[in-house]
Amino acid sequence: MRLQEYWGVGPKTADLLATELGVEAAVEAIESADSRALVDAGLSPGRATRILRRASGGAGLDTLATRDARDVYKQLLARAEEHAVTRRAADRVRVLTPLTDRAAMEERLERVQEAVDTWDSLDEGTRAAVLEAFEHHDGDGERAAAETAVALSETGVETGVFAPVAALDTDALAEAAVALRALDGDRLGAGADDELDRLRNALGRVEDMAADPESVIEAVQTAARDAAEFQSAFVRHVADEAGLSTDEVRTAVPTDARDAETFVTEGLRALATELRTQVDERETTVAERLHATVEEAREPLDAAAEAVEELAFLVSLARFARAYDLTTPTLTDGDALAVTGARNVELVAAGETVQPIDYAVGDHGLDVPTGDRVAVLTGANSGGKTTVLETLCQVQLLALMGLPVPAEQATVGLVDSVVFHRRHASFNAGVLESTLRSVVPPVTEEGRTLMLVDEFEAITEPGRAADLLHGLVTLTVDRAALGVFVTHLAEDLEPLPDAARVDGIFAEGLTAELELEVDYQPRFGQLGKSTPEFIVSRLVAEAEGRAERAGYEHLAAAVGEEAVQRTLADARWTG
């Protein structure tokens, strides 16, 4: 395959990859989602990730119909990546995309649930040992896979998703790992062969003595009375210093030296030359033996590389699922997005206290309203309406990726487009046009669409916004899509289609600390109120100076002074 056939790989990028990696290696890196290889070749991490996501799931990425939907998708993968147990697992998590085939979604969900069940069955000590095995041997290539497999086998975990690794021939892998460690680099490493280590050590010591022959002469002369004794003392001294036998030294030294200095210099030089020859010959013999060991373990090595990578990937997703208490959703061919006990992943990640919510659109079997294709969500400022939309988007996207979702129960239908639009305050005509170009085409095209639109009125004047929003609601119903629309203009949208309902989130007052107290669970079929008196009450209470307080009290009179005073009294505020 030509490099330029991949999305995002133009002529310059193709030339760079071909130069740095070679075409075959570059194609392999893209096909195997090896982002580090692309980054090492000179691509930015972001560009490498975009190329790999398109290569591994281009059709699924088309599901993300808006920028805000893509932002939620990226946030979810970033959270999942935080729990990766190896760099390779992080690479695979980073390029997950929505799937387009229900069977593929269910298969991944089943595998991840099996991983979660296996992880849950391990005690803390065993989990720590598993993580240590992945971390200590994290790396690329056959050696890392073999060493990880051996280390994992020593944890004693043999069931569930660990079964393929437990079934490996760890004895053969251990021998192969030793061989691969020795073969790593331009020359054989220490520990590959005892005899080779002995010869290398001896050569090093002889070369040190050859660099300072005067010291050798001085050490030998004190114990010698004539030339014969000098030669014998020299042989014994060098043998002792180099860890050689006297015979190994004697065979290398000259017998016709004219004087002591020549004898020592030429003797050490000749011995070093002989040892170098022996080291080279021994390296060749050992390397051939090690390569044979590796080839004999070819089948276990290939199996280990595949099994360890898959296990690391599944354990990473299991840890992500456990960190956010994710559960397996029920996928349906019908039109539905229904949750009970749903939590927002980003709020949980931030360590905030999260009130689980129940919500739904479409047809489903959960204990929440069913049958309404569209919900119009209304209610208090800072009441969590946008968070409801984002949570629903998270549930939908995770399910499409074949991953568990942040809810106690969830029924999720398959969609071809997810339109998520956050509130973007601007009356600029360009913003309105770009927003309409973003949210309208997906719902008019063939396929199923989920519309999650937040405060559409923020991008144009309220009167016209109500008309446009009513049009979006009716278009969603007419096109048999599902949608949740957050707005403060619900009363201006009447009459709504029969398939639409209005829900509300209610603020209930201020706490003693003057924080807004909100019941984040939407009340089905009830119009929510923005309750500005709560906000004004807090401003009155926190005003600095008489003039500022007088200004807020003027606003209090406008929204209902009695309501403001009652709110302050409920919060136990005193002036």
Side-chain angles (χ1 to χ4, degrees), residues 43 73 81 145 182 192-193 208 319 379 437 444 488 538 545 571-572:
L43 298 188
Y73 159 75
E81 187 183 340
D193 179 72
D208 288 342
R319 296 179 70 231
R437 287 182 180 277
T444 62
H488 293 286
R538 180 165 60 189
R572 297 188 297 278

Side-chain angles (χ1 to χ4, degrees), residues 343-359:
R343 301 163 308 280
N344 185 280
V345 170
E346 287 302 302
L347 292 183
V348 174
E352 297 187 25
T353 300
V354 178
Q355 177 186 343
I357 62 156
D358 305 338
Y359 208 69

Side-chain angles (χ1 to χ4, degrees), residues 351-385:
E352 297 187 25
T353 300
V354 178
Q355 177 186 343
I357 62 156
D358 305 338
Y359 208 69
V361 286
D363 298 310
H364 55 87
L366 300 185
D367 189 20
V368 280
T370 185
D372 303 305
R373 302 198 69 87
V374 170
V376 176
L377 184 57
T378 63
N381 295 313
S382 303
K385 300 185 296 298

Side-chain angles (χ1 to χ4, degrees), residues 540-568:
V540 170
E542 295 177 344
E544 297 180 0
R546 291 182 179 181
E548 182 178 321
R549 181 173 177 179
Y552 291 133
E553 286 175 340
H554 184 81
L555 294 180
V559 300
E561 186 173 357
E562 182 180 344
V564 171
Q565 294 301 324
R566 184 173 62 252
T567 300
L568 292 174

Side-chain angles (χ1 to χ4, degrees), residues 220-241:
V220 172
Q221 279 181 333
T222 58
R225 291 174 295 182
D226 55 31
E229 286 188 3
F230 182 88
Q231 292 180 6
S232 297
F234 170 79
V235 169
R236 290 194 302 272
H237 175 78
V238 173
D240 290 342
E241 291 293 318

Side-chain angles (χ1 to χ4, degrees), residues 231-481:
Q231 292 180 6
S232 297
F234 170 79
V235 169
R236 290 194 302 272
H237 175 78
V238 173
D240 290 342
E241 291 293 318
L244 296 168
S245 69
T246 55
D247 287 341
E248 287 176 300
V249 178
R250 187 176 294 109
T251 58
V253 299
T255 57
D256 56 349
R258 297 185 302 275
D259 52 49
E261 182 178 354
T262 302
F263 177 79
V264 169
T265 301
E266 293 183 356
L268 291 172
R269 185 184 299 119
L271 181 57
T273 300
E274 173 62 23
L275 286 173
R276 288 192 196 96
T277 300
Q278 293 183 33
V279 166
D280 291 343
E281 292 174 348
R282 188 65 184 178
E283 282 183 344
T284 300
T285 301
V286 173
E288 291 174 351
R289 187 188 74 215
L290 294 174
H291 281 296
T293 298
V294 172
E295 287 310 307
E296 288 172 4
R298 174 54 49 205
E299 186 174 342
L301 282 170
D302 291 343
E306 181 178 349
V308 167
E309 178 180 323
E310 184 67 11
L311 178 60
F313 176 64
L314 291 172
V315 169
S316 300
L317 294 178
R319 296 179 70 231
F320 169 57
R322 267 295 148 260
Y324 295 97
D325 199 19
L326 309 182
T327 58
T328 299
T330 298
L331 300 182
T332 177
D333 289 327
D335 296 327
L337 177 55
V339 293
T340 62
R343 301 163 308 280
N344 185 280
V345 170
E346 287 302 302
L347 292 183
V348 174
E352 297 187 25
T353 300
V354 178
Q355 177 186 343
I357 62 156
D358 305 338
Y359 208 69
V361 286
D363 298 310
H364 55 87
L366 300 185
D367 189 20
V368 280
T370 185
D372 303 305
R373 302 198 69 87
V374 170
V376 176
L377 184 57
T378 63
N381 295 313
S382 303
K385 300 185 296 298
T386 302
T387 300
V388 171
L389 288 188
E390 185 176 82
T391 302
L392 293 174
C393 188
Q394 291 172 352
V395 170
Q396 182 71 62
L397 294 183
L398 285 169
L400 290 177
M401 286 190 282
L403 299 178
V405 302
E408 293 176 4
Q409 293 179 295
T411 298
V412 183
L414 311 186
V415 298
D416 301 291
S417 297
V418 176
V419 175
F420 178 39
H421 173 73
R422 284 191 176 96
R423 179 180 184 271
H424 300 287
S426 174
F427 286 174
N428 185 292
V431 173
L432 175 61
E433 180 179 351
S434 64
T435 299
L436 292 174
R437 287 182 180 277
S438 174
V439 304
V440 172
V443 78
T444 62
E445 296 170 355
E446 291 297 322
R448 296 176 173 178
T449 301
L450 173 66
M451 302 283 286
L452 302 170
V453 180
D454 183 24
E455 294 195 25
F456 192 77
E457 60 265 28
I459 60 174
T460 189
E461 64 271 17
R464 305 308 294 168
D467 296 336
L468 288 170
L469 184 55
H470 187 273
L472 277 180
V473 170
T474 55
L475 178 64
T476 300
V477 173
D478 291 345
R479 297 296 299 178

